[in-house]
């Protein structure tokens, strides 16, 4: 499935990109006056190969949940059982992501790809468990390469299913206590930044815990002999398996699946940013199908977005995860595309253009 998906992904259509930009310049407004929203509309046109691009509705949020063996290193004060408790909260509709999804009119699907407990069947829960959490990435590989591929393909299948059910925009979400530690390791590996530059405070840790977290990330990169990622997909898979999480792998697959279907994917925070680095290393064309929903307070997220060349739509110092930043950005993405559908051109409206 992974090989077939990668073979089917296409970069942005250059004809559609040029036509979309020219169309925007003919609309009844000063050229470039909608700033980043114009770039979003053009990006979606290129990704879809159509001008105007399809409206990105309805939207579907997928929250990928997993646990992490590195939790045992004391990188967060939160107990690991919070992962399974938050999954129950998502399914009951009580989390911030649920509130934002209701506001955006997005569906919510929770995907168990590695929670360290057996979850009861429930509406909205998809079970794709690879294992009961990863191994401790600071002592060796977090997972095998085969497990990484399984998690990638779990994300691809979820994207395929949601698109088949009618979703025309995918939004990434995550849940996993200690997953910002794995994110920092992935960001350091794929961008070349030092762990000190990309390791943040996650859910709000104190100075001592933050210093320990940085040291653990540094240990993980050393013990797994992680060097700057090469240009081959096998390099990306090796690094993902060494220091990633099951949810990172699944989100990377989710992004790949959306790109294959030419459906835009709105990225959330640092976990999604780290996963997007993996996806882009597997196929650089995937970034043409992504929109950065926001820039979180995590320093690694800014490094990831810079490396991907993506401009965030919202910057509100969020660090909730769950897909919250992506959900907040979705109405902006819709507005950007609506302009191309509804706004008149100077010719059609009989409005005089500014002299050249």
């Amino acid at each position: 499935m992974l090989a077939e998906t990668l073979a089917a992904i296409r970069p942005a259509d250059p004809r559609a990109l040029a036509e979309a930009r020219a169309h925007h310049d003919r609309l009844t407004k000063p050229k470039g006056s909608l700033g980043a929203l114009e770039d979003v509309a053009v990006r979606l046109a290129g990704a879809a190969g159509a001008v105007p691009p399809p409206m990105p509705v309805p939207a579907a949020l997928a929250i990928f949940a997993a646990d992490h063996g590195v939790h045992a290193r004391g990188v967060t004060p939160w107990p690991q059982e919070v992962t399974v408790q938050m999954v129950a909260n998502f399914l009951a509709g009580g989390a911030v992501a649920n509130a934002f999804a209701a506001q955006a009119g997005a569906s919510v699907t929770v995907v168990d790809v590695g929670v360290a407990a057996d979850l009861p069947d429930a509406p909205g829960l998809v079970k794709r468990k690879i294992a009961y959490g990863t191994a401790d990435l600071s002592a060796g590989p977090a997972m095998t390469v085969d497990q990484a591929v399984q998690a990638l393909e779990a994300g691809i299948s979820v994207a395929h299913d949601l698109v088949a059910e009618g979703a025309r925009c995918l939004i990434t979400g995550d849940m996993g206590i200690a997953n910002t530690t794995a994110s920092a390791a992935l960001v350091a590996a794929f961008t070349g930044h030092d762990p000190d530059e990309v390791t943040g405070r996650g859910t709000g840790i104190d100075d001592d815990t933050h210093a320990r977290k940085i040291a653990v990330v540094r240990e993980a990169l050393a013990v797994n002999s992680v060097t700057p990622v090469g240009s081959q997909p096998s390099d990306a898979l090796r690094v993902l398996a060494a220091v990633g999480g099951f949810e990172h792998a699944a989100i990377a697959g989710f992004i790949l699946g959306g790109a294959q279907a030419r459906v835009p994917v709105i990225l959330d925070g640092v976990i999604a940013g780290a996963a997007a680095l993996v996806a882009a290393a597997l196929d650089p064309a995937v970034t043409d199908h992504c929109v950065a929903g926001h820039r979180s307070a995590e320093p690694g997220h800014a490094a990831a977005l810079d490396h991907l060349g993506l401009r965030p739509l919202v910057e509100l110092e969020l660090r909730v995860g769950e897909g919250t930043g992506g959900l907040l950005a979705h109405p902006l993405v819709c507005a950007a595309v609506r302009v191309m559908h509804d706004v008149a051109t100077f010719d059609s409206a009989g409005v005089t253009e500014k002299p050249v």
Side-chain angles (χ1 to χ4, degrees), residues 66-80 83 114 116 132-143 176-186 199 205 209-221 223-224 240-248 271:
D67 280 305
H68 298 261
V70 75
H71 179 273
R73 293 296 309 275
V75 293
T76 173
W78 291 85
Q80 191 170 68
T83 300
Y132 292 88
T134 55
D136 178 2
L137 55 84
S138 69
M143 63 187 99
I177 297 301
N179 64 8
T180 59
T181 301
S183 298
L186 287 171
T199 305
I205 56 178
T209 306
H210 187 221
R212 183 184 311 118
K213 184 176 178 180
I214 294 170
V216 167
V217 171
R218 204 178 297 282
E219 285 179 43
L221 297 173
V223 76
N224 287 291
L240 171 62
V243 297
F246 290 130
E247 73 269 53
H248 295 94
I271 287 83

Side-chain angles (χ1 to χ4, degrees), residues 99-129:
F100 286 0
Q103 179 68 27
S107 65
V108 179
T109 300
V110 182
V111 187
D112 172 13
V113 285
V115 177
D118 289 313
L119 303 178
D121 293 340
L125 175 65
V126 175
K127 296 182 179 180
R128 296 285 190 274
K129 194 189 298 289

